Amino acid sequence: MEFFLDKWSCAICHHQPLIMPEQIVILDFGSQYTQVIARRIRECSVYSTILRYDTPAAEIAKLNPKGIILSGGPASVYAPKAPHPDIAVFDLGVPVLGVCYGIQLMAHFLGGKVESGARREYGKGTLTVKDKTCPLFRKLPAKQQIWNSHADKITQLPKGFKAVAVSENSPFAAIEDRKRHFYGLQFHPEVVHTQHGRELISNFVHAICGCSKSWNMRKYVDQAVEEIRAQVGKEKVILGLSGGVDSSVAAALIHRAIGDQLTCIFVNNGLLRAREAEVVQEVFGRHFKIKLQYEDDSKQFLQLLKGITDPEKKRKIIGKAFIEVFQAATKRVGKAKFLAQGTLYPDVIESVPIAGNPAALIKSHHNVGGLPKGMKFKLVEPLKCLFKDEVRQLGLELGVPKEIVYRQPFPGPGLAVRILGEVTPARCEILRNADSIVVEEMKRSEWYYKVWQSFAVLLPVRSVGVMGDERTYDYTIALRVVESQDGMTADWVKLPYELLETISSRICNEVKGVNRVCFDISSKPPATIEWE
Ligand code: XMP
């Protein structure tokens, strides 16, 4: 049910932890790879924070960063509205690494020259290191594959700088002013196609900035527990538990911090998969001993959906009913000052509004505008500086079962988006049974954790079949199995025929009401992942 909870409120403010870890600040100039830089740094066991490109140097200084990275970006440094940093960032006395657009900013603001390249240099290249004593290239080979994506190029270095590596197209592929600890890379060290990119970033954060390897999930638990206690005091906290990764991990973490001051509300909307309600009650109620208020409103939801076939209408009805049920449930918990949410870091990073940047849309998260009317809670968002895979690590650290930590995404409106046409109790039952077989066989064959999603869809189409000597006239199940990085684009997974055969024959034999199984071989776009 994360859909409803996570998008209720804006969490952009105060996303800096109260207790300051040793960190690297990344100034975001609009590159599609900025978050990847942040991830790579964290993989080096160093905390990283992404800030807007024009964050005042005085604000940055308050975070006491060990180093600063200027990200790439789509603009040209001379473009009329090109994003520029507060140039006082170069006076903070900490190492600075400029990446791609970032190196050009350095050259431009520190006294060098940048010119528009006649053509865009894009794709693979070879880097030749000229000065092996440069700490960025510590223990790295003299020749390595790199990934470029830029149009402008440096034509004259600022005073104090020298080239330490060259590429086919650039005599200034890597530059340094070792005295002032300024470094620049014309290519992208953060992307996987740059052969030694991880080591380059590790060299910057460890060898140049002097960061220790102190960022790990065990420490994060201690830090987050202290913060939650400091924020909440003796007040009560409510959390809407969906059974999904984010709300589950948030629940386990907050419970570790404040125990019985936390009450989780779990709403059964009648659109859950098989055993979902039982697993949540088992894991959180009995195992973690978290105060769990189980709201079985399945009859009410299914009643409201009677006769409704339009997918948007279904969503609206479910969304509205959920808010009402949740509001009523919070009242029964008693006076709570805080609402906890499993908001993640990518939800709170403000995208940079730069012309030409496809990511320059304000996140929908920010447009939703606060909690539903009448709900005056303060927010507790203990995952808001973590990426998804860090949340999974945190879940494991807290003892959340693998079954939940590595759960595939499940839409808030549940089976309603996987039953085409009218949602009825009988159709929910059929889909649940078919879906259980899909999950079981995907897990048995070890495909379940390799794919983004794998599920059954019930089509309200009946066709003729034959079972024994009898003709049947039953529903069709579509099998949807996709791989994806983020759900924005997806491709269908080429499952082995044997596995498809097992799933199909089990569904037709074991699920009453189904006599046909189809495999969806559409990618997204043009199709979507859910059928609706
Ligand atoms: P589509 O169907 O748009 O889905 O390709 C992209 C991803 O989003 C998930 N999804 C939802 N998740 N609430 C959610 O929390 C929703 O209402 C919702 N609708 C789609 C979908 O499962 C896929 O991973």
Side-chain angles (χ1 to χ4, degrees), residues 394-425:
L394 175 62
L396 295 176
E397 183 68 42
L398 291 163
V400 179
K402 188 178 161 197
E403 186 184 353
I404 291 178
V405 166
Y406 289 103
R407 223 179 83 133
Q408 294 176 355
F410 185 62
L415 299 185
V417 297
R418 296 183 180 170
I419 294 172
L420 275 68
E422 189 183 357
V423 178
T424 64

PDB file of all heavy atoms in Angstrom, residues 394-425:
ATOM      1  N   LEU A 394      19.531  -2.775   5.274  1.00  0.00           N
ATOM      2  CA  LEU A 394      19.083  -2.378   6.603  1.00  0.00           C
ATOM      3  C   LEU A 394      18.053  -3.374   7.131  1.00  0.00           C
ATOM      4  O   LEU A 394      18.114  -3.778   8.296  1.00  0.00           O
ATOM      5  CB  LEU A 394      18.481  -0.966   6.526  1.00  0.00           C
ATOM      6  CG  LEU A 394      17.841  -0.405   7.792  1.00  0.00           C
ATOM      7  CD1 LEU A 394      18.858  -0.283   8.912  1.00  0.00           C
ATOM      8  CD2 LEU A 394      17.229   0.978   7.510  1.00  0.00           C
ATOM      9  N   GLY A 395      17.139  -3.792   6.260  1.00  0.00           N
ATOM     10  CA  GLY A 395      16.125  -4.765   6.657  1.00  0.00           C
ATOM     11  C   GLY A 395      16.779  -6.051   7.150  1.00  0.00           C
ATOM     12  O   GLY A 395      16.420  -6.583   8.205  1.00  0.00           O
ATOM     13  N   LEU A 396      17.766  -6.527   6.411  1.00  0.00           N
ATOM     14  CA  LEU A 396      18.447  -7.763   6.815  1.00  0.00           C
ATOM     15  C   LEU A 396      19.137  -7.560   8.159  1.00  0.00           C
ATOM     16  O   LEU A 396      19.100  -8.418   9.038  1.00  0.00           O
ATOM     17  CB  LEU A 396      19.459  -8.194   5.743  1.00  0.00           C
ATOM     18  CG  LEU A 396      18.856  -8.599   4.385  1.00  0.00           C
ATOM     19  CD1 LEU A 396      19.949  -8.919   3.376  1.00  0.00           C
ATOM     20  CD2 LEU A 396      17.909  -9.792   4.532  1.00  0.00           C
ATOM     21  N   GLU A 397      19.772  -6.398   8.315  1.00  0.00           N
ATOM     22  CA  GLU A 397      20.462  -6.059   9.568  1.00  0.00           C
ATOM     23  C   GLU A 397      19.490  -6.094  10.756  1.00  0.00           C
ATOM     24  O   GLU A 397      19.844  -6.496  11.861  1.00  0.00           O
ATOM     25  CB  GLU A 397      21.063  -4.648   9.398  1.00  0.00           C
ATOM     26  CG  GLU A 397      21.873  -4.118  10.549  1.00  0.00           C
ATOM     27  CD  GLU A 397      23.167  -4.875  10.764  1.00  0.00           C
ATOM     28  OE1 GLU A 397      23.820  -5.190   9.754  1.00  0.00           O
ATOM     29  OE2 GLU A 397      23.500  -5.149  11.940  1.00  0.00           O
ATOM     30  N   LEU A 398      18.240  -5.690  10.484  1.00  0.00           N
ATOM     31  CA  LEU A 398      17.242  -5.636  11.557  1.00  0.00           C
ATOM     32  C   LEU A 398      16.505  -6.963  11.733  1.00  0.00           C
ATOM     33  O   LEU A 398      15.635  -7.084  12.580  1.00  0.00           O
ATOM     34  CB  LEU A 398      16.208  -4.543  11.244  1.00  0.00           C
ATOM     35  CG  LEU A 398      16.695  -3.099  11.306  1.00  0.00           C
ATOM     36  CD1 LEU A 398      15.721  -2.178  10.600  1.00  0.00           C
ATOM     37  CD2 LEU A 398      16.891  -2.663  12.752  1.00  0.00           C
ATOM     38  N   GLY A 399      16.839  -7.936  10.896  1.00  0.00           N
ATOM     39  CA  GLY A 399      16.215  -9.260  11.032  1.00  0.00           C
ATOM     40  C   GLY A 399      14.882  -9.396  10.311  1.00  0.00           C
ATOM     41  O   GLY A 399      14.112 -10.316  10.594  1.00  0.00           O
ATOM     42  N   VAL A 400      14.594  -8.491   9.377  1.00  0.00           N
ATOM     43  CA  VAL A 400      13.364  -8.647   8.587  1.00  0.00           C
ATOM     44  C   VAL A 400      13.592  -9.821   7.626  1.00  0.00           C
ATOM     45  O   VAL A 400      14.644  -9.893   6.984  1.00  0.00           O
ATOM     46  CB  VAL A 400      13.051  -7.343   7.794  1.00  0.00           C
ATOM     47  CG1 VAL A 400      11.793  -7.509   6.949  1.00  0.00           C
ATOM     48  CG2 VAL A 400      12.905  -6.158   8.745  1.00  0.00           C
ATOM     49  N   PRO A 401      12.643 -10.754   7.525  1.00  0.00           N
ATOM     50  CA  PRO A 401      12.881 -11.942   6.690  1.00  0.00           C
ATOM     51  C   PRO A 401      13.127 -11.601   5.216  1.00  0.00           C
ATOM     52  O   PRO A 401      12.571 -10.627   4.698  1.00  0.00           O
ATOM     53  CB  PRO A 401      11.583 -12.744   6.809  1.00  0.00           C
ATOM     54  CG  PRO A 401      10.815 -12.130   7.912  1.00  0.00           C
ATOM     55  CD  PRO A 401      11.340 -10.772   8.176  1.00  0.00           C
ATOM     56  N   LYS A 402      13.945 -12.435   4.603  1.00  0.00           N
ATOM     57  CA  LYS A 402      14.312 -12.252   3.199  1.00  0.00           C
ATOM     58  C   LYS A 402      13.074 -12.168   2.306  1.00  0.00           C
ATOM     59  O   LYS A 402      13.031 -11.421   1.330  1.00  0.00           O
ATOM     60  CB  LYS A 402      15.177 -13.463   2.792  1.00  0.00           C
ATOM     61  CG  LYS A 402      15.799 -13.341   1.448  1.00  0.00           C
ATOM     62  CD  LYS A 402      16.682 -14.540   1.125  1.00  0.00           C
ATOM     63  CE  LYS A 402      16.898 -14.578  -0.384  1.00  0.00           C
ATOM     64  NZ  LYS A 402      17.378 -15.808  -0.913  1.00  0.00           N
ATOM     65  N   GLU A 403      12.059 -12.923   2.665  1.00  0.00           N
ATOM     66  CA  GLU A 403      10.822 -12.952   1.890  1.00  0.00           C
ATOM     67  C   GLU A 403      10.222 -11.541   1.734  1.00  0.00           C
ATOM     68  O   GLU A 403       9.639 -11.207   0.706  1.00  0.00           O
ATOM     69  CB  GLU A 403       9.836 -13.861   2.631  1.00  0.00           C
ATOM     70  CG  GLU A 403       8.556 -14.112   1.902  1.00  0.00           C
ATOM     71  CD  GLU A 403       7.581 -14.939   2.745  1.00  0.00           C
ATOM     72  OE1 GLU A 403       7.946 -15.416   3.838  1.00  0.00           O
ATOM     73  OE2 GLU A 403       6.435 -15.079   2.290  1.00  0.00           O
ATOM     74  N   ILE A 404      10.403 -10.727   2.767  1.00  0.00           N
ATOM     75  CA  ILE A 404       9.878  -9.353   2.704  1.00  0.00           C
ATOM     76  C   ILE A 404      10.922  -8.405   2.118  1.00  0.00           C
ATOM     77  O   ILE A 404      10.622  -7.563   1.281  1.00  0.00           O
ATOM     78  CB  ILE A 404       9.433  -8.888   4.111  1.00  0.00           C
ATOM     79  CG1 ILE A 404       8.189  -9.681   4.513  1.00  0.00           C
ATOM     80  CG2 ILE A 404       9.175  -7.383   4.142  1.00  0.00           C
ATOM     81  CD1 ILE A 404       7.647  -9.379   5.875  1.00  0.00           C
ATOM     82  N   VAL A 405      12.182  -8.578   2.549  1.00  0.00           N
ATOM     83  CA  VAL A 405      13.248  -7.676   2.101  1.00  0.00           C
ATOM     84  C   VAL A 405      13.410  -7.714   0.577  1.00  0.00           C
ATOM     85  O   VAL A 405      13.683  -6.702  -0.053  1.00  0.00           O
ATOM     86  CB  VAL A 405      14.573  -8.049   2.806  1.00  0.00           C
ATOM     87  CG1 VAL A 405      15.768  -7.397   2.147  1.00  0.00           C
ATOM     88  CG2 VAL A 405      14.512  -7.641   4.273  1.00  0.00           C
ATOM     89  N   TYR A 406      13.267  -8.882  -0.013  1.00  0.00           N
ATOM     90  CA  TYR A 406      13.452  -8.994  -1.465  1.00  0.00           C
ATOM     91  C   TYR A 406      12.134  -9.178  -2.205  1.00  0.00           C
ATOM     92  O   TYR A 406      12.088  -9.729  -3.295  1.00  0.00           O
ATOM     93  CB  TYR A 406      14.419 -10.146  -1.794  1.00  0.00           C
ATOM     94  CG  TYR A 406      15.830  -9.794  -1.405  1.00  0.00           C
ATOM     95  CD1 TYR A 406      16.396 -10.309  -0.255  1.00  0.00           C
ATOM     96  CD2 TYR A 406      16.574  -8.888  -2.166  1.00  0.00           C
ATOM     97  CE1 TYR A 406      17.684  -9.958   0.129  1.00  0.00           C
ATOM     98  CE2 TYR A 406      17.859  -8.534  -1.791  1.00  0.00           C
ATOM     99  CZ  TYR A 406      18.401  -9.070  -0.646  1.00  0.00           C
ATOM    100  OH  TYR A 406      19.668  -8.715  -0.279  1.00  0.00           O
ATOM    101  N   ARG A 407      11.079  -8.704  -1.588  1.00  0.00           N
ATOM    102  CA  ARG A 407       9.765  -8.826  -2.218  1.00  0.00           C
ATOM    103  C   ARG A 407       9.700  -8.001  -3.492  1.00  0.00           C
ATOM    104  O   ARG A 407      10.249  -6.909  -3.569  1.00  0.00           O
ATOM    105  CB  ARG A 407       8.739  -8.293  -1.230  1.00  0.00           C
ATOM    106  CG  ARG A 407       7.505  -9.112  -1.111  1.00  0.00           C
ATOM    107  CD  ARG A 407       6.596  -8.464  -0.082  1.00  0.00           C
ATOM    108  NE  ARG A 407       5.836  -7.408  -0.716  1.00  0.00           N
ATOM    109  CZ  ARG A 407       4.530  -7.259  -0.555  1.00  0.00           C
ATOM    110  NH1 ARG A 407       3.871  -8.069   0.236  1.00  0.00           N
ATOM    111  NH2 ARG A 407       3.899  -6.287  -1.152  1.00  0.00           N
ATOM    112  N   GLN A 408       9.011  -8.537  -4.460  1.00  0.00           N
ATOM    113  CA  GLN A 408       8.824  -7.758  -5.693  1.00  0.00           C
ATOM    114  C   GLN A 408       7.816  -6.637  -5.429  1.00  0.00           C
ATOM    115  O   GLN A 408       6.965  -6.765  -4.548  1.00  0.00           O
ATOM    116  CB  GLN A 408       8.289  -8.660  -6.801  1.00  0.00           C
ATOM    117  CG  GLN A 408       9.271  -9.729  -7.225  1.00  0.00           C
ATOM    118  CD  GLN A 408       8.666 -10.675  -8.257  1.00  0.00           C
ATOM    119  OE1 GLN A 408       7.488 -10.581  -8.590  1.00  0.00           O
ATOM    120  NE2 GLN A 408       9.477 -11.599  -8.733  1.00  0.00           N
ATOM    121  N   PRO A 409       7.891  -5.532  -6.209  1.00  0.00           N
ATOM    122  CA  PRO A 409       6.920  -4.454  -6.014  1.00  0.00           C
ATOM    123  C   PRO A 409       5.497  -4.967  -6.206  1.00  0.00           C
ATOM    124  O   PRO A 409       5.258  -5.838  -7.049  1.00  0.00           O
ATOM    125  CB  PRO A 409       7.257  -3.452  -7.129  1.00  0.00           C
ATOM    126  CG  PRO A 409       8.612  -3.820  -7.611  1.00  0.00           C
ATOM    127  CD  PRO A 409       8.819  -5.267  -7.312  1.00  0.00           C
ATOM    128  N   PHE A 410       4.590  -4.421  -5.411  1.00  0.00           N
ATOM    129  CA  PHE A 410       3.171  -4.792  -5.528  1.00  0.00           C
ATOM    130  C   PHE A 410       2.359  -3.502  -5.462  1.00  0.00           C
ATOM    131  O   PHE A 410       2.540  -2.715  -4.550  1.00  0.00           O
ATOM    132  CB  PHE A 410       2.799  -5.744  -4.385  1.00  0.00           C
ATOM    133  CG  PHE A 410       1.394  -6.271  -4.477  1.00  0.00           C
ATOM    134  CD1 PHE A 410       0.995  -7.045  -5.559  1.00  0.00           C
ATOM    135  CD2 PHE A 410       0.455  -5.982  -3.490  1.00  0.00           C
ATOM    136  CE1 PHE A 410      -0.305  -7.531  -5.647  1.00  0.00           C
ATOM    137  CE2 PHE A 410      -0.840  -6.467  -3.574  1.00  0.00           C
ATOM    138  CZ  PHE A 410      -1.221  -7.245  -4.654  1.00  0.00           C
ATOM    139  N   PRO A 411       1.509  -3.253  -6.439  1.00  0.00           N
ATOM    140  CA  PRO A 411       0.813  -1.968  -6.468  1.00  0.00           C
ATOM    141  C   PRO A 411      -0.145  -1.768  -5.304  1.00  0.00           C
ATOM    142  O   PRO A 411      -0.752  -2.739  -4.833  1.00  0.00           O
ATOM    143  CB  PRO A 411       0.047  -2.011  -7.792  1.00  0.00           C
ATOM    144  CG  PRO A 411      -0.001  -3.439  -8.190  1.00  0.00           C
ATOM    145  CD  PRO A 411       1.173  -4.121  -7.577  1.00  0.00           C
ATOM    146  N   GLY A 412      -0.277  -0.518  -4.859  1.00  0.00           N
ATOM    147  CA  GLY A 412      -1.188  -0.196  -3.765  1.00  0.00           C
ATOM    148  C   GLY A 412      -2.601  -0.723  -3.992  1.00  0.00           C
ATOM    149  O   GLY A 412      -3.175  -1.365  -3.106  1.00  0.00           O
ATOM    150  N   PRO A 413      -3.190  -0.512  -5.173  1.00  0.00           N
ATOM    151  CA  PRO A 413      -4.554  -1.002  -5.395  1.00  0.00           C
ATOM    152  C   PRO A 413      -4.630  -2.518  -5.589  1.00  0.00           C
ATOM    153  O   PRO A 413      -5.682  -3.058  -5.930  1.00  0.00           O
ATOM    154  CB  PRO A 413      -4.991  -0.282  -6.683  1.00  0.00           C
ATOM    155  CG  PRO A 413      -4.013   0.816  -6.882  1.00  0.00           C
ATOM    156  CD  PRO A 413      -2.734   0.363  -6.274  1.00  0.00           C
ATOM    157  N   GLY A 414      -3.511  -3.197  -5.405  1.00  0.00           N
ATOM    158  CA  GLY A 414      -3.478  -4.655  -5.325  1.00  0.00           C
ATOM    159  C   GLY A 414      -4.040  -5.373  -6.541  1.00  0.00           C
ATOM    160  O   GLY A 414      -3.869  -4.947  -7.680  1.00  0.00           O
ATOM    161  N   LEU A 415      -4.736  -6.466  -6.257  1.00  0.00           N
ATOM    162  CA  LEU A 415      -5.223  -7.313  -7.344  1.00  0.00           C
ATOM    163  C   LEU A 415      -6.221  -6.589  -8.249  1.00  0.00           C
ATOM    164  O   LEU A 415      -6.488  -7.050  -9.358  1.00  0.00           O
ATOM    165  CB  LEU A 415      -5.867  -8.576  -6.772  1.00  0.00           C
ATOM    166  CG  LEU A 415      -4.941  -9.478  -5.939  1.00  0.00           C
ATOM    167  CD1 LEU A 415      -5.675 -10.747  -5.535  1.00  0.00           C
ATOM    168  CD2 LEU A 415      -3.666  -9.833  -6.708  1.00  0.00           C
ATOM    169  N   ALA A 416      -6.740  -5.448  -7.791  1.00  0.00           N
ATOM    170  CA  ALA A 416      -7.711  -4.726  -8.628  1.00  0.00           C
ATOM    171  C   ALA A 416      -7.100  -4.294  -9.956  1.00  0.00           C
ATOM    172  O   ALA A 416      -7.809  -4.175 -10.947  1.00  0.00           O
ATOM    173  CB  ALA A 416      -8.246  -3.515  -7.886  1.00  0.00           C
ATOM    174  N   VAL A 417      -5.770  -4.049  -9.967  1.00  0.00           N
ATOM    175  CA  VAL A 417      -5.162  -3.680 -11.246  1.00  0.00           C
ATOM    176  C   VAL A 417      -4.746  -4.913 -12.055  1.00  0.00           C
ATOM    177  O   VAL A 417      -4.274  -4.793 -13.177  1.00  0.00           O
ATOM    178  CB  VAL A 417      -3.951  -2.710 -11.091  1.00  0.00           C
ATOM    179  CG1 VAL A 417      -4.372  -1.401 -10.485  1.00  0.00           C
ATOM    180  CG2 VAL A 417      -2.824  -3.344 -10.308  1.00  0.00           C
ATOM    181  N   ARG A 418      -4.921  -6.070 -11.450  1.00  0.00           N
ATOM    182  CA  ARG A 418      -4.550  -7.310 -12.163  1.00  0.00           C
ATOM    183  C   ARG A 418      -5.774  -8.150 -12.521  1.00  0.00           C
ATOM    184  O   ARG A 418      -5.631  -9.252 -13.041  1.00  0.00           O
ATOM    185  CB  ARG A 418      -3.563  -8.123 -11.312  1.00  0.00           C
ATOM    186  CG  ARG A 418      -2.270  -7.348 -11.119  1.00  0.00           C
ATOM    187  CD  ARG A 418      -1.235  -8.097 -10.366  1.00  0.00           C
ATOM    188  NE  ARG A 418      -0.040  -7.274 -10.235  1.00  0.00           N
ATOM    189  CZ  ARG A 418       0.992  -7.557  -9.468  1.00  0.00           C
ATOM    190  NH1 ARG A 418       0.973  -8.680  -8.760  1.00  0.00           N
ATOM    191  NH2 ARG A 418       2.040  -6.767  -9.419  1.00  0.00           N
ATOM    192  N   ILE A 419      -6.941  -7.637 -12.179  1.00  0.00           N
ATOM    193  CA  ILE A 419      -8.179  -8.273 -12.639  1.00  0.00           C
ATOM    194  C   ILE A 419      -8.788  -7.290 -13.611  1.00  0.00           C
ATOM    195  O   ILE A 419      -9.189  -6.192 -13.216  1.00  0.00           O
ATOM    196  CB  ILE A 419      -9.151  -8.536 -11.469  1.00  0.00           C
ATOM    197  CG1 ILE A 419      -8.542  -9.564 -10.524  1.00  0.00           C
ATOM    198  CG2 ILE A 419     -10.513  -8.989 -11.995  1.00  0.00           C
ATOM    199  CD1 ILE A 419      -9.319  -9.767  -9.242  1.00  0.00           C
ATOM    200  N   LEU A 420      -8.805  -7.624 -14.861  1.00  0.00           N
ATOM    201  CA  LEU A 420      -9.387  -6.690 -15.833  1.00  0.00           C
ATOM    202  C   LEU A 420     -10.905  -6.781 -15.750  1.00  0.00           C
ATOM    203  O   LEU A 420     -11.442  -7.862 -15.491  1.00  0.00           O
ATOM    204  CB  LEU A 420      -8.868  -6.999 -17.238  1.00  0.00           C
ATOM    205  CG  LEU A 420      -7.516  -6.306 -17.495  1.00  0.00           C
ATOM    206  CD1 LEU A 420      -6.420  -6.894 -16.640  1.00  0.00           C
ATOM    207  CD2 LEU A 420      -7.140  -6.404 -18.956  1.00  0.00           C
ATOM    208  N   GLY A 421     -11.559  -5.667 -15.932  1.00  0.00           N
ATOM    209  CA  GLY A 421     -13.017  -5.679 -15.788  1.00  0.00           C
ATOM    210  C   GLY A 421     -13.413  -5.647 -14.324  1.00  0.00           C
ATOM    211  O   GLY A 421     -12.645  -5.184 -13.473  1.00  0.00           O
ATOM    212  N   GLU A 422     -14.577  -6.185 -14.036  1.00  0.00           N
ATOM    213  CA  GLU A 422     -15.099  -6.098 -12.669  1.00  0.00           C
ATOM    214  C   GLU A 422     -14.290  -6.958 -11.690  1.00  0.00           C
ATOM    215  O   GLU A 422     -13.872  -8.070 -12.014  1.00  0.00           O
ATOM    216  CB  GLU A 422     -16.569  -6.540 -12.656  1.00  0.00           C
ATOM    217  CG  GLU A 422     -17.214  -6.270 -11.308  1.00  0.00           C
ATOM    218  CD  GLU A 422     -18.651  -6.763 -11.227  1.00  0.00           C
ATOM    219  OE1 GLU A 422     -19.175  -7.271 -12.241  1.00  0.00           O
ATOM    220  OE2 GLU A 422     -19.241  -6.642 -10.134  1.00  0.00           O
ATOM    221  N   VAL A 423     -14.107  -6.408 -10.493  1.00  0.00           N
ATOM    222  CA  VAL A 423     -13.415  -7.163  -9.441  1.00  0.00           C
ATOM    223  C   VAL A 423     -14.475  -7.815  -8.558  1.00  0.00           C
ATOM    224  O   VAL A 423     -15.273  -7.118  -7.942  1.00  0.00           O
ATOM    225  CB  VAL A 423     -12.557  -6.206  -8.572  1.00  0.00           C
ATOM    226  CG1 VAL A 423     -11.867  -6.969  -7.453  1.00  0.00           C
ATOM    227  CG2 VAL A 423     -11.546  -5.474  -9.433  1.00  0.00           C
ATOM    228  N   THR A 424     -14.488  -9.123  -8.544  1.00  0.00           N
ATOM    229  CA  THR A 424     -15.465  -9.816  -7.689  1.00  0.00           C
ATOM    230  C   THR A 424     -14.696 -10.753  -6.762  1.00  0.00           C
ATOM    231  O   THR A 424     -13.544 -11.120  -7.051  1.00  0.00           O
ATOM    232  CB  THR A 424     -16.436 -10.681  -8.535  1.00  0.00           C
ATOM    233  OG1 THR A 424     -15.645 -11.716  -9.167  1.00  0.00           O
ATOM    234  CG2 THR A 424     -17.141  -9.860  -9.594  1.00  0.00           C
ATOM    235  N   PRO A 425     -15.326 -11.133  -5.634  1.00  0.00           N
ATOM    236  CA  PRO A 425     -14.634 -12.067  -4.728  1.00  0.00           C
ATOM    237  C   PRO A 425     -14.207 -13.343  -5.445  1.00  0.00           C
ATOM    238  O   PRO A 425     -13.107 -13.849  -5.216  1.00  0.00           O
ATOM    239  CB  PRO A 425     -15.683 -12.354  -3.648  1.00  0.00           C
ATOM    240  CG  PRO A 425     -16.582 -11.148  -3.655  1.00  0.00           C
ATOM    241  CD  PRO A 425     -16.620 -10.673  -5.075  1.00  0.00           C
TER     242      PRO A 425
END
